[in-house]
């Protein structure tokens, strides 16, 4: 089986937490790696953002990243990339034609890639499998009052993909319900594939590991530490954690609390300075530290250094950070939204919070930090809970979805590329 995977707006080679790179990058890369191990040949097409990488990057046997030139390497925001859909699609078609490649199936990720996938599906006469990752209607429904709404143009494009893709892949039943409710999707076209985590990398550290992680980060060993990992945008909720921290300090100025916020600004109007400014405004300079995004092998040290990982998102299709944290032996406090209630066992591996009121978040954080026995029990159960999610099983499930799409007699018939 040979699959053309489309990830136009963000490359799996980019560092998650910077710009538009996030959980989707982790998802695409790890699924592709394990598909390749199962014998599926995968080419990931993405927009070139610098010339030094070259056109083809061979990651491992059966897996390549193809960098397609579409517009300038730098200077285009995600909101402007729709102007380059034609150029990107032409680049994909040209590469395939020049290299005489014959694909069995197209798998697109996110709506921009889906628009390209929809076109080349009809050119190549092969099935199109589409994964939305996030949806405009859902983001607008759950967004904070100050967050920038998603455009109606995006929602229309997503509706076209829901109507025209052969199969739609979702992470959770919640996401399936969103497609049906907001986009009138046919349930018969929806397939669920639960994402995973790297359980060999994200493992609980020993007491010595935790001490070393804290020393390297310059965190006192006696402090209680709450960490946020992700892109800095209103939708992810870092401002909720910052305001909850202010409430905790106001209640008990002597509380030995440190907060780590690891990630880069992302999205329209987002800027690191906004969050630094909020920290200064609330007088939390000595409580809150900002850390640059880092690769997984370093990110695990953040999880190990923390007593709690907070995920105050306004919606999450799944929540890879939450699974990574639990696999690393760190309990979580997460918003009761999207797929987070699936990946967090409420009261067993963490606490789910209704809404985004900073006082409610302060209550949950205090409850977990002040009850060492409960927190340590949750940490132990978190590892067992996370173990049921693996990229190997995710890839195996996706292979079956691909086979079903290939067997679909409704796939347009006609000449193949090559």
């Amino acid at each position: 089986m040979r699959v053309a995977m489309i990830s136009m707006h963000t490359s799996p080679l980019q560092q998650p937490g910077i710009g538009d790179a996030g959980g989707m990058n982790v998802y695409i890369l790890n699924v592709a790696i394990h598909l390749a191990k199962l014998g599926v040949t995968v080419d990931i097409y993405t927009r070139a953002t610098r010339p030094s990488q070259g056109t083809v990057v061979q990651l491992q046997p059966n897996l390549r990243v193809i960098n397609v030139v579409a517009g300038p390497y730098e200077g285009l925001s995600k909101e402007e990339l729709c102007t380059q859909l034609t150029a990107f699609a032409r680049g994909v078609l040209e590469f395939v034609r020049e290299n005489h490649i014959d694909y069995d199936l197209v798998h697109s990720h996110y709506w921009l890639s889906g628009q390209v996938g929809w076109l080349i599906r009809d050119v190549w006469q092969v099935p199109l499998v589409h994964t939305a990752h996030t949806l405009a209607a859902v983001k607008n429904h759950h967004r904070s009052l100050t967050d920038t709404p998603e455009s109606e143009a995006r929602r229309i494009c997503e509706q076209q993909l829901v109507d025209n893709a052969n199969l739609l892949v979702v992470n959770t039943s919640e996401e399936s319900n969103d497609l049906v409710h907001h986009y009138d999707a046919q349930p018969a076209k929806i397939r669920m594939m639960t994402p995973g985590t790297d359980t060999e990398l994200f493992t609980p550290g020993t007491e010595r590991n935790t001490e070393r992680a804290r020393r390297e980060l310059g965190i006192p060993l006696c402090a209680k530490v709450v960490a946020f990992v992700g892109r800095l945008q209103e939708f992810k909720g870092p401002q909720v954690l910052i305001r909850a921290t202010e409430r905790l300090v106001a209640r008990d100025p002597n509380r030995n609390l440190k907060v780590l916020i690891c990630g880069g600004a992302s999205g329209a109007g987002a800027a690191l300075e906004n969050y630094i400014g909020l920290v200064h405004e609330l007088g939390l300079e000595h409580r809150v530290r900002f850390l640059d995004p880092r690769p997984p092998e370093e990110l695990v040290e953040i999880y190990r250094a923390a007593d709690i990982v907070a995920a105050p998102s306004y919606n999450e299709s799944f929540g890879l950070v939450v699974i990574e944290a639990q696999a690393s032996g760190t309990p979580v406090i997460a918003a009761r939204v999207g797929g987070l209630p699936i990946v967090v066992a409420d009261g067993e591996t963490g606490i789910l919070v209704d809404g985004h009121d900073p006082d409610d978040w302060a209550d949950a954080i205090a409850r977990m930090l002040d009850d060492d026995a409960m927190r340590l029990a949750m940490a132990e159960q978190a590892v067992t809970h996370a173990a049921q999610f693996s990229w190997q099983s995710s890839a195996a499930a996706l292979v079956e979805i691909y086979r079903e799409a290939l067997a679909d007699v409704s796939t347009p018939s006609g000449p193949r590329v090559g």
Side-chain angles (χ1 to χ4, degrees):
M1 190 187 301
R2 188 162 199 153
V3 175
M5 203 169 276
I6 313 295
S7 179
M8 177 188 173
H9 85 282
T10 182
S11 169
L13 301 178
Q14 286 181 291
Q15 169 63 54
I18 297 176
D20 295 315
M24 193 178 100
N25 298 67
V26 177
Y27 175 110
I28 292 173
L29 180 59
N30 282 280
V31 163
I33 286 172
H34 287 90
L35 283 172
K37 289 179 178 179
L38 291 174
V40 179
T41 300
V42 182
D43 287 335
I44 304 174
Y45 289 88
T46 191
R47 196 179 79 87
T49 54
R50 60 180 188 271
S52 59
Q53 278 189 333
T55 301
V56 179
V57 179
Q58 187 79 44
L59 295 184
Q60 65 180 52
N62 294 336
L63 177 58
R64 302 185 298 179
V65 172
I66 314 298
N67 293 299
V68 177
V69 176
Y73 289 110
E74 297 177 294
L76 283 180
S77 68
K78 184 167 67 175
E79 291 71 26
E80 295 171 309
L81 286 181
C82 57
T83 65
Q84 299 303 315
L85 288 174
T86 299
F88 184 81
R90 181 187 180 279
V92 174
L93 293 170
E94 186 176 59
F95 180 87
V96 169
R97 184 173 59 251
E98 290 178 351
N99 290 277
H100 307 288
I101 305 172
D102 189 6
Y103 290 108
D104 296 294
L105 179 141
V106 177
H107 187 175
S108 56
H109 296 269
Y110 196 66
W111 72 274
L112 289 166
S113 301
Q115 289 288 309
V116 175
W118 181 22
L119 169 67
I120 62 178
R121 183 274 303 271
D122 289 345
V123 173
W124 295 345
Q125 299 292 290
V126 298
L128 170 65
V129 174
H130 179 67
T131 304
H133 293 277
T134 61
L135 295 162
V138 176
K139 291 191 74 172
N140 286 339
H141 180 73
H142 293 285
R143 72 183 179 91
S144 67
L145 296 176
T146 56
D147 206 6
T148 305
E150 296 295 325
S151 69
E152 178 64 7
R154 171 183 170 179
R155 190 203 64 77
I156 292 170
C157 287
E158 290 172 343
Q159 184 66 65
Q160 292 170 330
L161 293 169
V162 168
D163 294 341
N164 288 281
N166 293 75
L167 291 177
L168 301 164
V169 176
V170 299
N171 297 323
T172 64
S173 56
E174 173 88 7
E175 195 176 352
S176 177
N177 293 336
D178 285 337
L179 281 172
V180 173
H181 176 72
H182 293 283
Y183 293 86
D184 198 27
Q186 300 174 28
K189 289 175 58 174
I190 301 173
R191 300 292 180 272
M192 190 163 72
M193 185 211 78
T194 305
T197 192
D198 186 344
T199 53
E200 294 181 3
L201 172 62
F202 295 106
T203 59
T206 63
E207 185 175 343
R208 182 171 295 181
N209 292 144
T210 300
E211 288 182 5
R212 186 187 70 244
R214 289 199 174 192
R215 290 187 192 283
E216 290 176 351
L217 291 167
I219 301 171
L221 298 181
C222 59
K224 294 293 179 67
V225 180
V226 181
F228 169 94
V229 175
R231 288 174 291 164
L232 302 186
Q233 56 181 203
E234 291 276 308
F235 196 70
K236 295 292 185 180
Q239 72 282 356
V240 176
L241 176 57
I242 292 170
R243 294 189 182 280
T245 302
E246 187 270 336
R247 303 292 202 279
L248 287 167
V249 173
R251 296 175 188 176
D252 181 5
N254 295 319
R255 179 182 284 277
N256 193 1
L257 173 65
K258 300 292 182 182
V259 175
L260 302 178
I261 297 180
C262 180
S266 172
L272 176 60
E273 290 72 24
N274 295 343
Y275 299 100
I276 294 176
L278 179 60
V279 167
H280 282 280
E281 175 189 328
L282 299 177
L284 300 174
E285 298 93 330
H286 301 299
R287 304 278 188 169
V288 180
R289 285 185 54 197
F290 291 90
L291 304 174
D292 291 334
R294 50 200 64 202
E297 57 272 17
E298 295 179 25
L299 190 58
V300 67
E301 298 301 323
I302 302 292
Y303 296 138
R304 289 173 177 172
D307 293 288
I308 301 170
V309 168
S313 297
Y314 282 79
N315 195 55
E316 287 285 351
S317 59
F318 189 70
L320 293 177
V321 164
V322 168
I323 283 292
E324 291 172 353
Q326 291 175 103
S328 303
T330 305
V332 298
I333 297 178
R336 195 188 298 273
V337 296
L340 293 177
I342 294 172
V343 294
V344 179
D346 190 20
E348 298 177 16
T349 69
I351 296 174
L352 293 173
V353 180
D354 294 310
H356 298 82
D357 186 315
D359 282 311
D360 293 338
W361 278 80
D363 291 343
I365 293 169
R367 177 185 165 200
M368 191 179 287
L369 289 182
D370 294 343
D371 191 334
D372 291 340
M374 179 184 74
R375 190 179 66 257
L376 293 174
M378 285 183 170
E380 188 172 329
Q381 293 176 90
V383 178
T384 303
H385 180 65
Q388 66 185 296
F389 302 97
S390 73
W391 289 118
Q392 293 92 329
S393 58
S394 301
L398 194 54
V399 168
E400 294 307 311
I401 293 171
Y402 288 168
R403 286 175 176 157
E404 184 179 357
L406 289 167
D408 186 355
V409 294
S410 68
T411 299
S413 60
R416 298 284 298 282
V417 66

